Amino acid sequence: MFIDVGGRRLEVLVAGPDGGPVLVLHLGTPAGPVDTPVITGPAAERGLRTVICARPGYAGSTPRPGRTVADVAEDVTAVLDRLGADRFVTLGWSGGGPHALACAALLPGRCAAAATLAGVAPYGAAGLDWLAGMGPENVEEFGAAAAGPEALEAFLDRAAAGLAAVSGDEVAAALGGLASPVDAAALTGAFAESLAAGFRSAVSSGTAGWRDDDLAFVRPWGFDPSAIAVPVVVWQGGQDRMVPPGHGEWLATHVPGARARLDPDAGHISMAGEAGALLDDLLSSAGWTR
């Protein structure tokens, strides 16, 4: 469905039981609004209604050049109001992580708890070597983002060409040096197909969403993670070449009261296979019973 937010169009996918408590799921970068059964399945088993918003510039959502991470709070508020939902929990995977934290920071009256799964930490954060441990593709991508929109757009035009028609069988190869062995092993069957569908959707209308995500990550987020006052869960794998473990360690240290699971054997993608346990952790933090 589509929702109007101040004259912009926002594409939204809702999955799970009608009227169920809301889980706002922020997918990674790049990703379009497609069902992600590795998370929406366990969510539905717990009675949760999953809401996935295509960030501006992805799929059918109107681009919003210059957006910050914090701007997601406006979109989430509009979607919740449209659905008639008040309280919610939120989970951000990879590039969705900062957006889940933004909801926790900026919507404390509605967000009961937030979780990050292999989530990105702030660029330039003290005590964090932000690029350390990333695969070469991400080092090049975020080097381009730091250089500015023109350099980034040139990089993304090339990268998007490899994702526009990618299949599940091709995802691991398409990720190249970003996929650690444990992640490559996880990229099979329906899981790989859903990720491929997300990539195809992400670039179906161009690279504006991907570009604006990256630029938002390397600029001030618009809120201070150390000021978050709602419960936060941080899950991070030690075999992650997309968002290396230092990011999760930084968040676990700097988000007040964060409950962390730092698994040295998990990857960026393989850890999503434990989404049920992560959701249990999130719901427990929120004080919501199954």
Side-chain angles (χ1 to χ4, degrees):
M1 68 178 179
F2 292 92
I3 292 176
D4 180 82
V5 184
R8 292 183 292 110
R9 189 171 72 161
L10 192 70
E11 185 172 358
V12 180
L13 173 73
V14 181
D18 290 341
V22 169
L23 166 69
V24 176
L25 174 59
H26 304 273
L27 294 175
T29 301
V34 300
D35 192 12
T36 307
V38 70
I39 297 175
T40 59
E45 291 169 3
R46 288 155 177 80
L48 296 171
R49 178 174 36 152
T50 302
V51 175
I52 300 172
C53 305
R55 290 189 292 277
Y58 285 123
S61 292
T62 306
R64 189 179 186 181
R67 62 177 162 90
T68 67
V69 173
D71 288 332
V72 73
E74 178 185 2
D75 291 348
V76 168
T77 297
V79 172
L80 293 173
D81 290 347
R82 170 73 175 272
L83 295 175
D86 182 19
R87 301 278 282 169
F88 70 102
V89 293
T90 185
L91 166 60
W93 184 10
S94 187
H99 297 89
L101 294 177
C103 290
L106 301 173
L107 302 174
R110 300 182 79 164
C111 182
T116 66
L117 171 61
V120 179
Y123 186 78
L128 174 64
D129 186 343
W130 204 81
L131 293 174
M134 285 189 184
E137 294 87 347
N138 269 15
V139 172
E140 183 179 1
E141 178 177 342
F142 288 107
E150 185 175 342
L152 179 60
E153 288 169 359
F155 172 88
L156 294 180
D157 285 345
R158 297 191 302 271
L163 297 180
V166 70
S167 69
D169 291 340
E170 297 167 336
V171 167
L175 290 173
L178 297 175
S180 64
V182 68
D183 280 338
L187 282 168
T188 61
F191 188 11
E193 290 293 345
S194 71
L195 287 177
F199 286 144
R200 294 193 301 267
S201 175
V203 299
S204 61
S205 57
T207 61
W210 192 353
R211 176 200 65 204
D212 293 338
D213 265 2
D214 282 358
L215 293 173
F217 294 147
V218 300
R219 294 170 176 169
W221 285 2
F223 66 95
D224 181 0
S226 69
I228 293 173
V230 305
V232 172
V233 173
V234 175
W235 278 38
Q236 176 68 49
Q239 304 302 311
D240 191 336
R241 295 179 183 170
M242 299 185 207
V243 181
H247 287 244
E249 293 165 1
W250 190 95
L251 291 172
T253 301
H254 290 83
V255 175
R259 187 157 72 187
R261 179 181 173 190
L262 307 176
D263 185 342
D265 299 319
H268 189 88
I269 292 163
S270 70
M271 205 172 203
E274 301 178 61
L278 172 54
L279 290 171
D280 288 340
D281 203 1
L282 174 61
L283 294 174
S284 173
S285 295
W288 290 9
T289 57
R290 288 180 56 181

